[in-house]
Each structure stands twice: as structure tokens, then as C-alpha cells.
């Protein structure tokens, strides 16, 4: 048991050197200057041993069995309070406490209101973490804040934490209108209205409430910015930052932030925190790298840890649950309705614990708003909002700075520093109904790689799931029974989340990826069934990528809406072309509009894109295969051109034969089956122009074709041979088969041709599984100058799980109307006309439940549309001006 405790407290530090055995050593009992002798109030001398009230910089001890009640505003500055018994705050008078450190035994209890007796709205409670000298950098730095190992309860006055607006305000507005009347929003409350400029993650605005009348909130000063959205059914949000329980640091940013307090819960799950404001807390900085320890890059095994200067250690955050256990049978902790404002690192943190974070707000945080840290966490993030999560020094800058990438600080395992709304390190935490606005990094990012940390066996990822949490046998990993790596744990729930005004909306890394060799450790039947679903994601006004997939396999994205309107040719709706994005990938009901490229399609695996609409500069970007064969179905899509972009394309096909260092050595011989089944195409196969019989994929045996930087990547046997010659020699050629002579060009498709699908036999190189990382010796032995030895088998049959009916869902609100057009006749028996200040217009007809049932493109304001095939009922008509990029919405009654 002693060794377990030693490892536990060692790991709390994030160091493998033990500086102090326990946080309780912050106040040894023999050093207490004031001891509670009898349960009672702070101001009552009979409460204190010897009858002496605490004096300046007192060290207070509350023994087991004794209760100390804070009964007013205590002006005395207290050095430290150790709670072995109970400390509670009065709910009938204003209370305040100025203290540098509060440390709690496992038996101790802190109570600031309860569910049955919360701090009422007319009463305020404030705890200020004072600054009484610098932290000693060589010690664990637990002081200045809360070290809580027992029961903690806090209930402030309940109020609506955040809500959507009913209309989007513009510059000069002094009143905002909310979607619903807020609860307990009061005069003087500080609120933040989210920003909508993707080039400026600080485009939000903080305002003060002057008056509240139902859904209308009058502000003390008018707004100075426009808060507009790219569609009439998208709205910004307002979050209330004020609470009547406040925990804040006395000093903010002096001494490099080392004067700030922090809150760490550890030891048990008996934590229930509600409607608390945490302000200027947290001192782990993310604008610089953490430096408590590093992995020695010179160590051959990569598992030697070395000390750092400890000027910026990890783990000191605003609300931090630290290694409290991940047993689903235990009782979870709760954090509800809180606000965290102004943190230099992380706001809400679940580190190897079981916590539910619900209806919380983070604002003005540098590193990350809501985090899981190790990957083994369980619980939820539900209905939270992260606003302005911005790293001013290291934001995510695409493709130009390695240090700004998510793993740029991997040598100290320092992640989630780019300004990420929600950083999720594993799939065990449900992520439901959250919003990220103004993220200089990612709105949402999944990084289920696990961590390498001191205090664990060296050279390993130290965090994993217990298979029993999924109802699985310990034997799914025969090599290490009872261990399930974070990357092989299916995402439990990702549903109906939204990101806007961010660099990237949603990214995934190392999710169910065969990039790691650990896939060989698991029961193949388990691996074959692993799959994760992202259901319901909306991203708009995104600076770079709506969704980005890296080292990601076995996933479904459904009911996705991505919308931009800044005519940025570099923006991409879904980027899934990473060479390690492979195996089964399914996309259902995708709506992508306003991006330079709508969807950069996967280069490997079984890919199904079923149902949706695209209106972008290039709707589909289709690169050639890279690591494995591809079997792709594009089904039920509606393609339109966005007039904001020049040279529009439905499909842009790109076959790049140069610099193949990130590809399988015989990538160009891999089968590539692409079937089109949408719009004008019915079960037709798409071929690259470069699949023509006479085309030579590798014209020479030199750079940049078979040799890169002096190193051979592709065997010389393949050089200077046409596709026909490759077929003759190896029964394979670029794309797996030759371009048929009767294939024809198709409108909107560039770089390829189509013909009706016939079940052509295509062969797979036998070396594809034995040499996934360009081991040319293995490839050479595999080929052995024999076509029969080289050919593994034919492309396997795969049944694409596509949606048979494509009534594309939309977030159109049937209660919303924009009265900027006339629709007549209404009701109608079939034909309708629209009238409005339109140029060229697209018209969408939605059922009353929001499903798209009919679409007309390139209309004018006098065009007549026939709805005679629709059944009688209520519909919503949305007309969008294709040049001015605004929409009008009207109800329509269809009669027989």
C-alpha cells in the first residue's frame, strides 16, 4: 500500500522525483497556529482553541468531527486551512474568505450550499486565493489554491448558463433577443456574445446587462461588432459569466502567472460543483511549453525522463479532476452551470476520472476549454460552451510551422495548447450538444493515443481502458490481458455538437488506426468490429478545415453540416485524404457549402458517401490511392457550383506519381474501384485518365519517381513501363485496371472518365500487408520477378451500407420565417412562383420535419416550379440568392 501511495503522489506531480510525500505536508498538524476546538462560527471565539480568532497569515486546522462555519466577510488574510473535519459557508449572509491554500484530508468536507439549501441569488460568497510570496519551484507546487481529497459540495443560485439568440445582432445594437427567456439573468451580470469572424477568434464581445424583459436583454453599451452567420437558421450564442459563488486569484499574471491559484480534486469522486464562477485561476501556461520533465530525445529507447527547470509544471488548472478512478460502477463527480474565465492553460479537466461536465462556460482561455488528459477517462461533456480559446503565441497555423501542430510538444507530452475548445484524449467520454466558438486551434479534437508519463513502466503508453467497462472479456488483448489501448476503444457518444469561427471544426488523430503495431496484439474478431460514429456535427465560418481526419479508420460521420461564405479557395469542408485514413469510412447525410474544396476524399479503404448536397468551388477532390486498395461508392449526392469561386468542378481527379515517400511502394498498382450513383449517374465506374493503356506512370528510374532524396522508394522494375506493359508483366496497372476504350467524359468531372460498371477483376499486390511502411526488401522478395507470386488475390466484394432514400436533413427551423420574398399561390395545388430582390436563385423545399424533398437550381424570380408530385401538407421553402448569398424562408401549404 505504501508503494501505491508513493506512485500516486509522484504521478500527481508529473515527476518521477518525489519532492513531498503528500499535499497534507503543506500543513503538518504540529505547525497549525489556530485549531477549531468546538463546532461553530468563525467569528465566535468559543470555536477556537484558546479562544483566539485567527490572525494574519494564520495556519488553520479543522480536526475530524468539528465543523467550522464561515459566517461573514472575513478580512483576515489566512495562509492555509487544512480540513480534516468540515468547513461550511452560511447561506443567509454574504461571506468571503481570503486564503492562500486550502488542503483537504480524505475525511474532510467542504460545503458551499447544497442542492436543498443553495446559496440564494441575493447572497454572495467569495473565496480569494491570495498571493503571499513566490512558489518554491523545486517543490510540488501544490500551494496557492485547493488540494481536495474529500467531499466537496457547492451550489450557487441556479441560472441559465448560456443560450442561443433568436436573431443575430449587428454593430450598434443595444438589445439582444434570446431564443428563450433566461433563468435568473440579472442587472449587472456580465455576458459574452460569441463572435463570427473566422480570421479573428477574438470577435466575441463582453457586455453588461442593463435590464431583462422576457427574451429581450438590454445592454449598458451598444455592441461594436457584427455577429452575422452564413445562413438564416444559424445563430450566435450568449453566455452568462456571473455567478454568486466566486473563486478567484487575487493576482492575475505577475511573476509569469505563478501567483495564481488552482483547484485540484483527487482521491474520491464525492464532488458536486454547481453555478460557481472560477476567475483568474490556473497557472499552468500553454503559451509556453510545460517544463517539469522531458523525454530524452537522445535515448535510443525514447523512454528516459529528464528533469526540467519546473518554471511551468503541468496539472495546475481552474477545475481539475486528477486520477480519481475510472470505474463505471463508482459514483461520478459533477460540475454543472459553472463559468471559468481567464485561464492561461486549461479550464475544465478530466484526468483519469469519472466526471460529468454539464451546462458550463469557458471564456478567454489560452490552451483548451474542456479536456480529457490521458485517454482512459469516462463521464461526459454535455451542453457546454467554449468561447474564445485562443493561443496568441502558438495557434494552429496550417502547413507552415511544426511547433504549431498538435504534437509539436510531444517530447514533454504537452498537448492541447493551440486553443482547442474540446480536446478529447479517448472515446469513453460522451460529447453531446456542445458548442465551440472562436478557437485558434480546433473546435473539437480527438487524440486517443495515450500518454507516456513518469511513474509508469517506461517506454509505454500508460493509459488504457479496462475492457470490462465495455462489457468485454479481458482476453481481447491476449498479449496483455485486461488492457484496451485508448485508440481501440470506440467513441461512446458524439452527438449534435457545433463549432464556428475556428481554424478547424473537428479533427481526429490515431483513432482505430493500424499505424500502430499494437493492432497485432488484439483478438482479430474484436478489431474487425471496432467502429465509431460521429452523429450530428455543424461547423460554419471555419478558417481552414471543417473536419480533418488523420490516422483514422473505421468511422462513420452522419448528419454533418459544414457552411462557409468567405470564398476562400484554401478552405476544405472535409479533409480525409491523409494516407493513413483508411479501412471502413462511411459518410451519411453531408451538407457542405461555401468551401474552396467541399470534400477531399479518402485515398484508401472501403469508402461510402451516401446522401447529401455540395456547393463549393470543387465539390469532390479525388486523389489516387496511396497505402491500400480503395472501394468507393458516391451515392445520392446533389452537386451545385458556388458562383463565389471560379472554375467550378464537381469532381477533380488528381493522380500524383511523384515523391511517394508516404505511400506503399507499389501504390499505383493498387485496385481503385469508384462507383457513381447520383444525379445523372447510375451505377457507373469512374476512371482516372492516367489509367489509359499507353500511359507511363513512372517515366524514369530517378527522382522524383522511384528515388527520393537519394533513397529508393519504388523498385526499378516498374519504371518506364506503360499501364499495358504492367498488366502484361504483373497482371496489374495504375488503378488496378485499364481505362476502357468506351469510357467517356462527363460534365463536371475533370481528370477522369466514366462508363457503366462491369464486375472487372482487379488484383492486389501480395506485399500490401507485409510491407505497409515501404520496406523495399520485402516488396522485392514478394515480387521475385514473378507475376504469380506478386499477385495476392482479387479485390474482395464489399456491400456498401448506403442510405436507400436521400431526404437530406437540414437544421431549418419550421418556426423561423424571413419575410423577404413573396410565394404565390399559397396554398397551392402544384405550381408556385417566388418574388423577391433576387438575381439567380436556388430553391429548396423542406418537409415540416426539416427533410429536403425537392431542389431547384439556377432559377430567377419569375421561374415557375412544379410541386405537383408532393403530397399535401405543410412545407418550408428556402430561396437563396446565388450571388448575394442570403436566404429567405416561407411556409407553404400544399393541397391536393
Amino acid at each position: 500500500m505504501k508503494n501505491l501511495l508513493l506512485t500516486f503522489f509522484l504521478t500527481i506531480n508529473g515527476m518521477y522525483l518525489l519532492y513531498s510525500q503528500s499535499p497534507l505536508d503543506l500543513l503538518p498538524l504540529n505547525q497549525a497556529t489556530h485549531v477549531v476546538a468546538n463546532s461553530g462560527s468563525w467569528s465566535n471565539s468559543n470555536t477556537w482553541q484558546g479562544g483566539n480568532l485567527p490572525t494574519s497569515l494564520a495556519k488553520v486546522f479543522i480536526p475530524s468531527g468539528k465543523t467550522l462555519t464561515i459566517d461573514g466577510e472575513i478580512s483576515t488574510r489566512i495562509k492555509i486551512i487544512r480540513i480534516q473535519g468540515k468547513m461550511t459557508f452560511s447561506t443567509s449572509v454574504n461571506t468571503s474568505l481570503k486564503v492562500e491554500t486550502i488542503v483537504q484530508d480524505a475525511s474532510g468536507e467542504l460545503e458551499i450550499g447544497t442542492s436543498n439549501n443553495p446559496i440564494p441569488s441575493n447572497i454572495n460568497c467569495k473565496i480569494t486565493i491570495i498571493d503571499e510570496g513566490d512558489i518554491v519551484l523545486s517543490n510540488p507546487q501544490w500551494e496557492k489554491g485547493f488540494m481536495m481529497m474529500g467531499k466537496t459540495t457547492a451550489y450557487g443560485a441556479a441560472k441559465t448558463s448560456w443560450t442561443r439568440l433568436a436573431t443575430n445582432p449587428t454593430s450598434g445594437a443595444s438589445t439582444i433577443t434570446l431564443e428563450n427567456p433566461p433563468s435568473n439573468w440579472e442587472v449587472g451580470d456580465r455576458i459574452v456574445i460569441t463572435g463570427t469572424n473566422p480570421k479573428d477568434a477574438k470577435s466575441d464581445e463582453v457586455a453588461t446587462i442593463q435590464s431583462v424583459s422576457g427574451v429581450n436583454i438590454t445592454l449598458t453599451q451598444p455592441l461594436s461588432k457584427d455577429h452575422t452567420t452564413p445562413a438564416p437558421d444559424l445563430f450566435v450564442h450568449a453566455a452568462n459569466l456571473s455567478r454568486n459563488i466566486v473563486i478567484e486569484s487575487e493576482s492575475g499574471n505577475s511573476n509569469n502567472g505563478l501567483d495564481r491559484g488552482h483547484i485540484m480534486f483527487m482521491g474520491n469522486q464525492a464532488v458536486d460543483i454547481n453555478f460557481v464562477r472560477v476567475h483568474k485561476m490556473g497557472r499552468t501556461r500553454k503559451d509556453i511549453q510545460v517544463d517539469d520533465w522531458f523525454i530524452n530525445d537522445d535515448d535510443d529507447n525514447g523512454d528516459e525522463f529528464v528533469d526540467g527547470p519546473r518554471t511551468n509544471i503541468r496539472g495546475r488548472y481552474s477545475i481539475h479532476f486528477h486520477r480519481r478512478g475510472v470505474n463505471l460502477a463508482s459514483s461520478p463527480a459533477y460540475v454543472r452551470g459553472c463559468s471559468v474565465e481567464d485561464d492561461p492553460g486549461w479550464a475544465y479537466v478530466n484526468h483519469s476520472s469519472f466526471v460529468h461536465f454539464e451546462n458550463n462556460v469557458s471564456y478567454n482561455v489560452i490552451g483548451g476549454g474542456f479536456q480529457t488528459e490521458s485517454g482512459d477517462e469516462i463521464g461526459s461533456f454535455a451542453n457546454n460552451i467554449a468561447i474564445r480559446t485562443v493561443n496568441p503565441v502558438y495557434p494552429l497555423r496550417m502547413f507552415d510551422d511544426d511547433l504549431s501542430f498538435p504534437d509539436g510538444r510531444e517530447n514533454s507530452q504537452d498537448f492541447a495548447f493551440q486553443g482547442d475548445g474540446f480536446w478529447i484524449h479517448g472515446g469513453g467520454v460522451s460529447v453531446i450538444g456542445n458548442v465551440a466558438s472562436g478557437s485558434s486551434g480546433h473546435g473539437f479534437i480527438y487524440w486517443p493515443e495515450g500518454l507516456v508519463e513518469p511513474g509508469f513502466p517506461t517506454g509505454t503508453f500508460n493509459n488504457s481502458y479496462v475492457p470490462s467497462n465495455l462489457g468485454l472479456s479481458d482476453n481481447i488483448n491476449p498479449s496483455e490481458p485486461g488492457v484496451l489501448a485508448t485508440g481501440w476503444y470506440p467513441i461512446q457518444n458524439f452527438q449534435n455538437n457545433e463549432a464556428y469561427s475556428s481554424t478547424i471544426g473537428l479533427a481526429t488523430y490515431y483513432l482505430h488506426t493500424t499505424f500502430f503495431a499494437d493492432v497485432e496484439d488484439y483478438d482479430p474478431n474484436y478489431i474487425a468490429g471496432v467502429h465509431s460514429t460521429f452523429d450530428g456535427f455543424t461547423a460554419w465560418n471555419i478558417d481552414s478545415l471543417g473536419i480533418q481526419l488523420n490516422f483514422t479508420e473505421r468511422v462513420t460521420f452522419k448528419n454533418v453540416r459544414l457552411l462557409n461564405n468567405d470564398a476562400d479557395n484554401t478552405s476544405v469542408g472535409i479533409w480525409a485524404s491523409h494516407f493513413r485514413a483508411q479501412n471502413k469510412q462511411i459518410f451519411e447525410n453531408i451538407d457542405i457549402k461555401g468551401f474552396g474544396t467541399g470534400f477531399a476524399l479518402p485515398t484508401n479503404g472501403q469508402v461510402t458517401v451516401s446522401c447529401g448536397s455540395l456547393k463549393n468551388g470543387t465539390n469532390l477532390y479525388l486523389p489516387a490511392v496511396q497505402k491500400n486498395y480503395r472501394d468507393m461508392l458516391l451515392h445520392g449526392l446533389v452537386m451545385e457550383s458556388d458562383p463565389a469561386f471560379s472554375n467550378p468542378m464537381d469532381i477533380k481527379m488528381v493522380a500524383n506519381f511523384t515523391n511517394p515517400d508516404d505511400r506503399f511502394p507499389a501504390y499505383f498498382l493498387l485496385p481503385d474501384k469508384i462507383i457513381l450513383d447520383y444525379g445523372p449517374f447510375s451505377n457507373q465506374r469512374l476512371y482516372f485518365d492516367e489509367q489509359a493503356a499507353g500511359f507511363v506512370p513512372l517515366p524514369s528510374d530517378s527522382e522524383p519517381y522511384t528515388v527520393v532524396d537519394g533513397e529508393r522508394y519504388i523498385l526499378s522494375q516498374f519504371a518506364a513501363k506503360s499501364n499495358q506493359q504492367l498488366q502484361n508483366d504483373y497482371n496489374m496497372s495504375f488503378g488496378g485496371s485499364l481505362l476502357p476504350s468506351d469510357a467517356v467524359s462527363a460534365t463536371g468531372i475533370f481528370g477522369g472518365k466514366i462508363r457503366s460498371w462491369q464486375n472487372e477483376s482487379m488484383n492486389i499486390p501480395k506485399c500490401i500487408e507485409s510491407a505497409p511502411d515501404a520496406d523495399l526488401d520485402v516488396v522485392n522478395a514478394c515480387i521475385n520477378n514473378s507475376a504469380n507470386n506478386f499477385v495476392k488475390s482479387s479485390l474482395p466484394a464489399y456491400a456498401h451500407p448506403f442510405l436507400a432514400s436521400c431526404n437530406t436533413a437540414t437544421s431549418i427551423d419550421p418556426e423561423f420565417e424571413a419575410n423577404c420574398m413573396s410565394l404565390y399561390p399559397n396554398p397551392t395545388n402544384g405550381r408556385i412562383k417566388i418574388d423577391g430582390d433576387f438575381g439567380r436563385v436556388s430553391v429548396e423545399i423542406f418537409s415540416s420535419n426539416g427533410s429536403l424533398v425537392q431542389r431547384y437550381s439556377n432559377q430567377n424570380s419569375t421561374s415557375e416550379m412544379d410541386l405537383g408530385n408532393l403530397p399535401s401538407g405543410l412545407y418550408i421553402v428556402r430561396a437563396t440568392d446565388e450571388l448575394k448569398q442570403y436566404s429567405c424562408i416561407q411556409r407553404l401549404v400544399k393541397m391536393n
Side-chain angles (χ1 to χ4, degrees):
M1 182 66 179
K2 182 177 180 181
N3 289 336
L4 288 175
L5 287 173
L6 182 69
T7 300
F8 174 70
F9 288 117
L10 177 153
T11 309
I12 288 171
N13 271 318
M15 285 295 296
Y16 63 99
L17 296 177
L18 190 63
Y19 292 97
S20 179
Q21 186 176 5
S22 165
L24 300 177
D25 289 346
L26 291 169
L27 181 55
L29 299 184
N30 61 2
Q31 293 183 16
T33 62
H34 293 76
V35 178
V36 172
N38 302 292
S39 295
S41 300
W42 183 290
S43 61
N44 188 341
S45 61
N46 291 329
T47 300
W48 301 98
Q49 191 178 84
N52 298 316
L53 271 65
T55 54
S56 179
L57 300 184
K59 298 178 179 180
V60 173
F61 174 56
I62 307 172
S64 178
K66 301 296 189 289
T67 298
L68 174 64
T69 300
I70 309 299
D71 59 341
E73 297 179 316
I74 311 301
S75 60
T76 305
R77 296 168 69 86
I78 306 301
K79 180 68 174 177
I80 187 171
I81 300 174
R82 177 172 170 179
I83 306 172
Q84 192 180 75
K86 180 177 182 178
M87 185 166 75
T88 184
F89 285 71
S90 172
T91 61
S92 59
V93 296
N94 290 337
T95 57
S96 65
L97 182 66
K98 298 178 180 179
V99 58
E100 188 172 60
T101 304
I102 296 176
V103 61
Q104 180 191 48
D105 292 51
S107 62
E109 182 177 356
L110 174 63
E111 180 184 287
I112 313 174
T114 66
S115 59
N116 294 325
N117 185 28
I119 305 292
S121 59
N122 63 331
I123 300 296
N124 295 311
C125 171
K126 185 175 184 179
I127 300 174
T128 302
I129 302 302
I130 63 173
D131 179 17
E132 288 294 335
D134 293 345
I135 288 174
V136 180
L137 298 181
S138 61
N139 74 14
Q141 302 179 27
W142 287 323
E143 67 271 30
K144 293 189 190 297
F146 295 74
M147 292 295 300
M148 313 300 286
M149 293 181 284
K151 181 178 181 180
T152 303
T153 305
Y155 273 82
K159 66 167 56 189
T160 300
S161 289
W162 60 280
T163 185
R164 193 168 73 159
L165 272 65
T167 59
N168 293 312
T170 55
S171 176
S174 57
T175 300
I176 61 173
T177 303
L178 307 182
E179 185 176 51
N180 295 297
S183 173
N184 202 24
W185 283 26
E186 299 178 334
V187 173
D189 280 1
R190 293 173 66 250
I191 63 173
V192 55
I193 297 94
T194 54
T196 60
N197 183 355
K199 305 294 185 185
D200 178 12
K202 297 182 179 181
S203 60
D204 55 84
E205 292 191 74
V206 175
T208 302
I209 295 177
Q210 179 173 294
S211 65
V212 179
S213 177
V215 296
N216 296 312
I217 310 297
T218 301
L219 311 175
T220 58
Q221 295 290 332
L223 299 177
S224 61
K225 300 177 181 179
D226 291 334
H227 298 260
T228 55
T229 66
D233 59 320
L234 294 174
F235 297 92
V236 298
H237 298 84
N240 195 309
L241 302 174
S242 298
R243 304 291 187 273
N244 67 329
I245 298 177
V246 177
I247 299 173
E248 70 177 8
S249 296
E250 180 179 54
S251 303
N253 294 305
S254 61
N255 193 25
N256 291 321
L258 290 174
D259 52 349
R260 285 173 170 256
H262 71 107
I263 301 174
M264 182 183 291
F265 297 107
M266 47 194 286
N268 72 61
Q269 302 282 7
V271 177
D272 191 5
I273 306 296
N274 302 266
F275 304 105
V276 175
R277 182 186 187 213
V278 180
H279 182 223
K280 294 193 301 183
M281 295 285 282
R283 60 174 176 266
T284 299
R285 295 173 56 184
K286 292 293 181 174
D287 59 338
I288 58 176
Q289 188 167 356
V290 297
D291 63 0
D292 40 3
W293 54 263
F294 295 89
I295 299 172
N296 185 2
D297 292 334
D298 296 329
D299 176 41
D300 291 339
N301 296 320
D303 57 14
E304 178 186 348
F305 298 98
V306 296
D307 288 341
R310 295 179 59 77
T311 61
N312 183 39
I313 70 170
R314 73 197 71 220
R316 306 305 183 257
Y317 311 120
S318 286
I319 299 179
H320 175 202
F321 289 82
H322 181 84
R323 295 196 179 279
R324 300 170 64 83
V326 289
N327 184 357
L328 275 173
S330 65
S331 298
Y334 290 90
V335 179
R336 306 183 188 94
C338 296
S339 71
V340 170
E341 180 182 355
D342 188 4
D343 187 301
W346 291 349
Y348 301 88
V349 184
N350 179 352
H351 182 190
S352 298
S353 300
F354 184 8
V355 191
H356 293 296
F357 294 91
E358 302 171 352
N359 299 301
N360 300 292
V361 178
S362 73
Y363 177 62
N364 195 26
V365 176
I366 285 180
F370 296 83
Q371 273 72 224
T372 62
E373 187 170 357
S374 294
D376 57 350
E377 294 82 6
I378 54 178
S380 66
F381 292 116
N383 302 314
N384 305 284
I385 189 167
I387 307 172
R388 192 198 287 186
T389 317
V390 178
N391 190 327
V393 181
Y394 286 105
L396 180 59
R397 294 186 290 269
M398 296 302 296
F399 311 121
D400 67 351
D401 186 351
D402 288 345
L403 292 179
S404 74
F405 288 172
D407 57 356
R409 302 176 179 179
E410 192 172 18
N411 65 331
S412 64
Q413 296 289 281
D414 183 8
F415 299 106
F417 62 86
Q418 298 166 302
D420 303 310
F422 293 80
W423 174 284
I424 313 299
H425 222 84
V429 170
S430 295
V431 181
I432 305 171
N434 303 285
V435 172
S437 169
S439 302
S440 64
H442 311 81
F444 297 83
I445 177 172
Y446 276 80
W447 186 281
E449 184 184 8
L451 294 181
V452 179
E453 297 179 273
F456 292 88
T458 57
T460 62
F461 291 138
N462 308 129
N463 307 97
S464 60
Y465 289 100
V466 178
S468 59
N469 277 349
L470 274 178
L472 299 170
S473 166
D474 284 348
N475 294 325
I476 63 169
N477 184 353
S479 66
E480 196 172 357
V483 171
L484 177 58
T486 56
W488 290 112
Y489 190 97
I491 290 173
Q492 295 305 286
N493 203 339
F494 180 96
Q495 197 169 31
N496 297 332
N497 298 289
E498 181 178 3
Y500 56 94
S501 304
S502 301
T503 302
I504 293 178
L506 166 64
T508 61
Y509 286 80
Y510 307 117
L511 178 60
H512 313 330
T513 179
T514 51
F515 176 72
F516 295 132
D518 67 346
V519 67
E520 301 173 359
D521 298 336
Y522 291 91
D523 181 340
N525 293 324
Y526 173 73
I527 295 298
V530 171
H531 201 87
S532 287
T533 297
F534 297 79
D535 186 358
F537 179 65
T538 300
W540 50 275
N541 283 14
I542 298 299
D543 188 37
S544 181
L545 309 175
I547 296 176
Q548 179 188 28
L549 306 185
N550 310 271
F551 300 96
T552 295
E553 306 176 28
R554 310 153 203 268
V555 291
T556 292
F557 287 84
K558 58 192 301 185
N559 302 320
V560 170
R561 187 184 187 198
L562 309 174
L563 190 60
N564 261 11
N565 66 352
D566 62 354
D568 182 355
N569 280 295
T570 65
S571 65
V572 181
I574 300 177
W575 187 78
S577 295
H578 189 274
F579 71 103
R580 285 291 186 178
Q582 56 189 39
N583 282 306
K584 188 182 294 184
Q585 300 170 75
I586 302 167
F587 303 87
E588 297 180 350
N589 273 344
I590 59 170
D591 183 10
I592 310 174
K593 293 183 174 68
F595 290 84
T597 299
F599 193 162
L601 292 161
T603 63
N604 309 277
Q606 302 94 7
V607 182
T608 308
V609 183
S610 178
C611 301
S613 58
L614 298 100
K615 185 179 180 181
N616 308 277
T618 296
N619 283 324
L620 298 176
Y621 173 81
L622 182 58
V625 291
Q626 288 184 305
K627 281 287 184 182
N628 212 324
Y629 68 84
R630 177 169 58 190
D631 187 341
M632 178 184 293
L633 172 66
L634 305 177
H635 163 79
L637 302 177
V638 176
M639 299 280 198
E640 297 181 78
S641 297
D642 188 335
F645 298 92
S646 58
N647 302 318
M649 304 181 196
D650 285 343
I651 300 179
K652 179 181 180 180
M653 305 177 70
V654 176
N656 180 13
F657 299 96
T658 61
N659 296 330
D661 54 312
D662 59 352
R663 309 173 193 172
F664 174 69
Y667 71 94
F668 55 94
L669 301 180
L670 294 169
D672 194 8
K673 173 186 170 186
I674 306 164
I675 303 300
L676 307 183
D677 186 29
Y678 68 87
F681 309 110
S682 178
N683 201 33
Q684 291 175 291
R685 181 175 172 185
L686 179 61
Y687 297 83
F688 284 85
D689 287 337
E690 291 82 356
Q691 289 179 252
F695 181 78
V696 179
L698 309 176
S700 70
D701 186 20
S702 62
E703 294 189 25
Y705 297 102
T706 65
V707 177
V708 178
D709 296 332
E711 182 178 357
R712 178 167 296 284
Y713 276 85
I714 296 180
L715 296 174
S716 59
Q717 290 97 315
F718 300 136
K721 290 185 177 180
S722 69
N723 283 319
Q724 185 65 67
Q725 290 173 312
L726 291 169
Q727 281 285 348
N728 295 341
D729 292 346
Y730 301 107
N731 295 325
M732 288 177 286
S733 59
F734 171 58
S737 59
L738 300 176
L739 176 68
S741 59
D742 58 347
V744 298
S745 299
T747 301
I749 297 177
F750 294 80
K753 295 179 174 61
I754 63 168
R755 63 161 285 179
S756 60
W757 162 243
Q758 299 175 11
N759 191 17
E760 305 169 58
S761 176
M762 292 185 287
N763 295 317
I764 302 173
K766 184 164 59 176
C767 344
I768 187 66
E769 294 176 356
S770 60
D773 293 308
D775 187 336
L776 287 175
D777 292 335
V778 176
V779 174
N780 200 12
C782 168
I783 296 173
N784 196 25
N785 295 318
S786 168
N788 291 332
N789 286 344
F790 188 30
V791 174
K792 172 188 175 185
S793 61
S794 296
L795 182 70
Y798 176 67
H800 289 271
F802 62 89
L803 297 178
S805 176
C806 289
N807 291 330
T808 306
T810 181
S811 53
I812 280 286
D813 184 351
E815 297 303 316
F816 177 85
E817 285 191 350
N819 295 310
C820 53
M821 71 173 177
S822 297
L823 191 66
Y824 59 95
N826 188 8
T828 181
N829 292 321
R831 294 185 176 274
I832 62 168
K833 289 185 177 182
I834 62 171
D835 187 16
D837 185 20
F838 295 115
R840 306 303 297 179
V841 64
S842 63
V843 179
E844 298 163 302
I845 314 295
F846 299 91
S847 65
S848 59
N849 66 4
S851 294
L852 178 65
V853 296
Q854 205 155 316
R855 181 195 302 269
Y856 298 87
S857 300
N858 199 29
Q859 305 292 304
N860 59 48
S861 59
T862 61
S863 295
E864 186 176 87
M865 287 151 283
D866 187 2
L867 310 183
N869 62 331
L870 296 180
S872 60
L874 176 66
Y875 294 88
I876 295 97
V877 179
R878 178 168 67 189
T880 301
D881 189 290
E882 294 180 346
L883 294 177
K884 301 174 185 176
Q885 291 294 296
Y886 72 89
S887 296
C888 299
I889 297 174
Q890 285 282 324
R891 288 179 174 85
L892 172 70
V893 176
K894 170 66 167 51
M895 302 176 66
N896 290 329

